[in-house]
Amino acid sequence: MTTNPLTTHDKLRREAAGLFSKRGYGGTSMADIARRVGVRKASLYNYYDSKADLMVELLERSLEDWERSCDLNFAPETPIEDRLAAHLRAALEFTQSHPQAVGVIRLAAGQMPRDLRRRVHDILEQHERQWREVLTDLFEQAIERGEVEAAEPEKLALFWGVFVDGLIIRQIFAAADSQPIVEQMPALWELFWRGISGHVPSKELAI
């Protein structure tokens, strides 16, 4: 099966994401990106008015990729244990298979120049709010069905987000870890699930 060649726009986004992830936003210029793409710097402005606009689009695309890969939209009867386990596997797999997207998201969540900080913050805040609402509804339904112990759904949603984010950070720095996070996941998952449900998981988490 043949694949379509990358367009100049595709290459621009790919090279920009790679440079931003490696060098940071301030350490990457439009001239740097143009050299990597193999075009004149002026050509980049046929696609974006500024480096800030390019960063914003990369962030939005990275978050869209994340949402597609880590979707929690299962059949209503799917137990929350299975949904959360699938989401956790997808999050760790996404971290491995989409390093540039993860790099862009992490960059946006860190230090941004004043002219870009508000735009980036609003995008991340909207994404976080949407995910928190989905998770809160999910935990609320699970409490009603007796799948997890009674608690405040909002706090359970926050707890899950912190748990997953922490594991992703460990995954990113796994090269320096004597015990890779993937080997620790069954034990960590059991601790988490026992903590919110009072029961051992029905099946071992496999990554």
Side-chain angles (χ1 to χ4, degrees):
M1 184 176 67
T2 60
T3 57
N4 294 327
L6 291 176
T7 65
T8 299
H9 197 180
D10 292 331
K11 293 178 182 176
L12 192 169
R13 287 189 291 244
R14 182 190 64 189
E15 297 300 337
L19 287 170
F20 284 154
S21 299
K22 183 177 180 180
R23 301 181 184 177
Y25 181 82
T28 302
S29 69
M30 292 295 265
D32 294 331
I33 298 169
R35 280 193 294 272
R36 293 288 289 269
V37 177
V39 298
R40 294 181 298 110
K41 175 182 173 181
S43 300
L44 301 187
Y45 294 99
N46 293 325
Y47 302 97
Y48 301 97
D49 291 335
S50 66
K51 186 173 72 166
D53 288 342
L54 171 55
M55 177 65 196
V56 166
E57 183 181 308
L58 289 175
L59 175 60
E60 290 173 337
R61 290 172 66 90
S62 296
L63 290 171
E64 288 169 3
D65 288 344
W66 164 268
E67 289 166 0
R68 281 193 296 270
S69 298
C70 304
D71 190 10
L72 280 165
N73 186 26
F74 294 84
E77 65 274 9
T78 305
I80 190 173
E81 179 186 351
D82 293 341
R83 293 192 190 198
L84 294 180
H87 178 248
L88 182 53
R89 282 193 296 268
L92 294 177
E93 289 169 1
F94 184 88
T95 304
Q96 286 186 317
S97 60
H98 295 74
Q100 290 187 350
V102 174
V104 167
I105 295 170
R106 291 184 64 228
L107 176 64
Q111 291 294 324
M112 286 279 102
R114 186 184 301 274
D115 63 323
L116 187 54
R117 193 177 305 153
R118 184 75 256 170
R119 295 173 66 186
V120 165
H121 177 269
D122 288 346
I123 294 169
L124 291 172
E125 186 177 55
Q126 180 181 8
H127 170 79
E128 174 67 17
R129 183 169 58 250
Q130 291 172 341
W131 267 99
R132 190 72 59 81
E133 289 173 357
V134 170
L135 286 165
T136 298
D137 289 344
L138 185 63
F139 280 113
E140 190 172 60
Q141 295 165 19
I143 291 169
E144 291 175 356
R145 293 197 297 262
E147 293 179 309
V148 301
E149 296 182 338
E152 295 180 44
E154 297 85 357
K155 290 185 178 179
L156 285 174
L158 176 61
F159 183 28
W160 177 252
V162 171
F163 180 62
V164 175
D165 287 348
L167 292 173
I168 288 173
I169 295 298
R170 289 295 300 274
Q171 173 102 336
I172 291 170
F173 296 105
D177 199 336
S178 59
Q179 186 180 14
I181 195 67
V182 67
E183 296 178 9
Q184 303 174 51
M185 277 314 306
L188 294 173
W189 168 247
E190 180 175 344
L191 284 171
F192 173 84
W193 183 247
R194 284 171 67 100
I196 70 169
S197 71
H199 305 289
V200 297
S202 62
K203 58 180 74 73
E204 183 177 290
L205 180 71
I207 302 295

